[in-house]
């Protein structure tokens, strides 16, 4: 926290002084490729970027406590559930940009329906299924629905239901199949658990490799990270695991985003919009996606990530991430009712 405070103090000092154009970015991302991402914007526009990097929760707390005096111009966060929560907390403002409206697919724009969007997905991540090749037939676990089927009793491992990744998946299933079906799914998941929910996505993958779990859900990049690893234990784990794209005969894989927004009280609003437009540019799209093995959000930009391409092509859902966000309140109620902790 001390480090954060010092950074902000320095940031504020800069804001008060120079007239040179600048932009204050609060980011919950921190990847090596981000350096190139930020440098590209400064090279192109002459606008200097000041960065504060922290976890999503810490950023939100900071923005709330700073209130109208916040120096934040742009906010970068991961997951539709978190972005929507920040929108609902009034931390963003609507953005009217022809470039963003045209470049970012409509279903990857968040905000109130019928109004200017308040947040944009700049990369997409897939929630995929991994299974133990020795213990599970992939045909028995190739949809989200099948994970909740009684035939998979005692086989399913999962992280906490109230983690944003699960809240967003449930929000998507509510949108896709209705609230009653989503609740039945959550019930089935609870009934099928091999152990109480614990750990993150990587822990689920390891549980599948060890055989403690037959099947689990993970964001694609955790799997890719392990598949690219040189560590002998990761190589041994990956050898035991099958990877599949869920719901290929149905509505497709649940897709989430890493995204950005203009802060409610942005002192440099124009530069903030310019930065979001830059993130949607051909050049920035692959930098943004590559840092975490995700896909570019802009359809005309091809992923240049060989490890991702090696997973093959797949059918992605087209559900609106704004709707997924709004469904969170219902999703949380379902989790509470079904005991999916
Ligand atoms: Fe993650």
């Amino acid at each position: 926290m001390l480090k954060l405070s010092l950074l902000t103090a320095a940031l504020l000092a800069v804001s008060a002084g120079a007239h040179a154009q600048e932009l204050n970015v609060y980011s919950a991302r921190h990847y090596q490729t981000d350096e190139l991402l930020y440098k590209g914007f400064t090279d192109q526009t002459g606008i200097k970027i000041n960065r504060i990097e922290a976890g999503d929760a810490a950023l939100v707390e900071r923005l709330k406590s700073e209130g109208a005096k916040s120096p934040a111009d742009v906010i970068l966060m991961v997951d539709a559930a978190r972005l929507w929560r920040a929108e609902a907390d009034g931390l963003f403002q609507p953005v009217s940009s022809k470039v963003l409206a045209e470049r970012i697919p409509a279903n990857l724009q968040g905000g109130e329906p019928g109004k200017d969007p308040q947040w944009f997905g700049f990369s997409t991540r897939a929630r995929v299924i991994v299974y133990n090749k020795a213990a599970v037939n992939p045909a028995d676990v190739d949809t989200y629905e099948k994970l909740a089927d009684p035939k998979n009793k005692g086989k399913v491992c999962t992280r906490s239901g109230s983690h944003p990744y699960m809240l967003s998946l449930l929000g998507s299933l509510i949108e896709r199949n209705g609230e009653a079906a989503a609740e039945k799914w959550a019930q089935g998941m609870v009934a099928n658990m091999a152990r109480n929910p614990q750990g993150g996505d990587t822990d689920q993958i390891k549980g599948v490799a060890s055989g403690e779990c037959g099947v689990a859900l993970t964001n694609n990049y955790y799997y890719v990270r392990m598949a690219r690893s040189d560590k002998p234990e990761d190589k041994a784990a990956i050898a035991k695991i099958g990877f599949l794209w869920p719901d290929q005969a149905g509505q497709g894989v649940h897709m989430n985003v890493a995204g950005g927004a203009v802060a409610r009280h942005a002192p440099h609003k124009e530069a903030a919009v310019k930065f979001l437009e830059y993130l949607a540019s051909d050049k920035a799209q692959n930098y943004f996606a590559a840092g975490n093995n995700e896909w570019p959000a802009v359809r005309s930009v091809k992923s240049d990530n060989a490890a991702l391409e090696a997973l093959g092509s797949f059918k992605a859902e087209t559900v609106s991430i704004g709707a997924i966000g709004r469904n969170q309140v219902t999703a949380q109620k379902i989790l509470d009712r079904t005991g999916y902790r």
Side-chain angles (χ1 to χ4, degrees):
M1 281 321 275
L2 177 66
K3 197 173 154 211
L4 265 183
S5 308
L6 288 172
L7 268 172
T8 308
L11 220 159
L12 284 167
V14 172
S15 310
H19 281 93
Q21 279 220 70
E22 59 187 274
L23 181 74
N24 301 324
V25 176
Y26 281 27
S27 175
R29 290 167 43 96
H30 26 263
Y31 304 117
Q32 279 181 347
T33 47
D34 287 0
E35 296 304 326
L36 287 170
L37 188 69
Y38 293 119
K39 186 177 178 299
F41 179 71
T42 302
D43 287 351
Q44 191 176 305
T45 61
I47 299 171
K48 180 177 168 267
I49 294 180
N50 306 307
R51 261 188 288 169
I52 285 187
E53 291 180 350
D56 295 87
L59 284 185
V60 164
E61 280 319 302
R62 178 154 209 97
L63 285 160
K64 282 184 183 168
S65 70
E66 287 170 347
K69 290 194 175 74
S70 175
D73 293 308
V74 165
I75 300 164
L76 301 178
M77 295 176 106
V78 298
D79 197 281
R82 292 193 181 105
L83 283 154
W84 175 81
R85 172 50 62 189
E87 174 203 332
D89 286 344
L91 300 177
F92 301 159
Q93 62 172 294
V95 171
S96 171
S97 157
K98 198 164 172 279
V99 173
L100 291 169
E102 284 176 7
R103 301 270 298 171
I104 302 297
N107 71 306
L108 301 184
Q109 302 181 26
E112 291 177 47
K115 297 190 178 163
D116 281 335
Q118 296 205 30
W119 43 283
F120 301 86
F122 290 108
S123 65
T124 60
R125 60 256 305 270
R127 196 126 185 92
V128 301
I129 290 171
V130 288
Y131 61 94
N132 184 295
K133 285 195 281 195
V136 171
N137 175 357
D140 289 337
V141 293
D142 61 3
T143 69
Y144 299 114
E145 284 72 18
K146 283 183 189 175
L147 299 189
D149 188 286
K151 76 178 161 206
N152 285 314
K153 193 166 177 58
K155 291 185 183 161
V156 177
C157 283
T158 170
R159 71 189 306 160
S160 164
S162 57
H163 186 275
Y165 299 168
M166 293 308 299
L167 274 173
S168 288
L169 172 61
L170 192 50
S172 167
L173 294 178
I174 291 168
E175 202 61 20
R176 286 157 67 142
N177 308 325
E179 183 176 343
E183 178 150 355
K184 198 168 164 249
W185 180 81
Q187 237 162 29
M189 287 290 281
V190 171
N192 284 354
M193 286 177 189
R195 61 184 184 193
N196 285 331
Q198 59 178 260
D201 285 2
T202 300
D203 298 303
Q204 313 314 317
I205 300 174
K206 287 179 177 166
V208 168
S210 77
E212 186 182 1
C213 321
V215 63
L217 292 160
T218 177
N219 281 356
N220 67 281
Y221 51 83
Y222 293 107
Y223 175 84
V224 171
R225 211 176 281 166
M226 206 183 270
R228 291 174 100 170
S229 167
D230 290 328
K231 289 188 196 159
E233 63 267 33
D234 289 340
K235 285 181 184 292
I238 286 293
K240 295 196 162 61
I241 294 170
F243 169 102
L244 60 81
W245 302 113
D247 281 42
Q248 293 305 282
Q251 297 188 59
V253 186
H254 164 55
M255 302 300 286
N256 211 316
V257 295
V262 175
R264 170 81 166 271
H265 304 288
H268 312 98
K269 186 184 173 184
E270 216 177 294
V273 174
K274 226 182 246 182
F275 182 72
L276 295 188
E277 290 175 344
Y278 162 78
L279 291 183
S281 68
D282 285 358
K283 187 180 162 193
Q285 273 286 287
N286 264 307
Y287 286 146
F288 193 94
N292 192 34
N293 293 306
E294 296 179 59
W295 288 273
V298 176
R299 286 206 189 94
S300 57
V301 178
K302 244 191 84 61
S303 168
D304 62 5
N305 183 331
L308 271 190
E309 296 317 297
L311 299 176
S313 59
F314 63 96
K315 178 181 180 181
E317 73 179 1
T318 54
V319 176
S320 148
I321 54 165
I324 287 173
R326 284 188 295 280
N327 284 345
Q328 254 192 105
V329 178
T330 307
Q332 189 58 60
K333 282 182 193 155
I334 288 175
L335 294 171
D336 292 342
R337 287 198 293 261
T338 56
Y340 193 158
R341 308 261 176 250

